[in-house]
Amino acid sequence: QVQLVESGGGSVQAGGSLRLACTASRTIRGTYWAWFRQAPGKEREAVACIKPRGNIGYADSETARFTISQDKSKNILYLQMNNLQPEDSAMYYCAAGGTACLSGHTYMNWGQGTQVTVSS
């Protein structure tokens, strides 16, 4: 098991930016890492992921505005979000230990989430 702690959420106006960070309690190699989000009343959805060899995957709607990255030396996963819109408001979760990039049910470890609220 690995503990994941997200940070960086907050409230911004439409068009603003946030950078989320996910700090892991230890190094995990050879696995997938990802960001997911869930808005009230909606199902959890994938945002972006990093594959074991560093290839990146994005949900179709997020390619242009979001950037996932990783600092392996510090065990930190990032999500840079630009041009945020009200529909991006959700709880954002970090996940690790997955076996399929954007498939949440394959991930073994989850953080508690960080709230992102975007006002119009």
Side-chain angles (χ1 to χ4, degrees):
Q1 284 283 2
V2 61
Q3 305 301 315
L4 303 175
V5 179
E6 301 96 335
S7 61
S11 297
V12 297
Q13 292 190 330
S17 298
L18 285 173
R19 188 175 79 156
L20 306 183
C22 170
T23 303
S25 59
R26 64 176 179 86
T27 300
I28 309 177
R29 303 193 186 281
T31 187
Y32 294 81
W33 293 76
W35 287 98
F36 293 83
R37 67 185 181 186
Q38 187 168 21
K42 295 186 177 181
E43 293 187 355
R44 183 182 64 199
E45 61 179 357
V47 177
C49 61
I50 292 182
K51 302 176 183 180
R53 295 187 178 186
N55 301 80
I56 289 174
Y58 291 98
D60 289 343
S61 60
E62 311 307 341
T63 301
R65 300 183 299 124
F66 293 3
T67 303
I68 190 171
S69 62
Q70 190 173 34
D71 184 339
K72 292 185 177 181
S73 68
K74 298 180 179 179
N75 297 329
I76 300 176
L77 184 72
Y78 296 103
L79 183 68
Q80 177 68 43
M81 305 186 295
N82 298 324
N83 191 23
L84 284 162
Q85 300 300 313
E87 54 266 32
D88 295 317
S89 296
M91 186 72 79
Y92 283 70
Y93 297 93
C94 170
T99 57
C101 204
L102 295 173
S103 299
H105 69 276
T106 72
Y107 284 81
M108 299 174 57
N109 304 284
W110 292 83
Q112 294 298 307
T114 186
Q115 179 68 41
V116 171
T117 303
V118 185
S119 58
S120 58

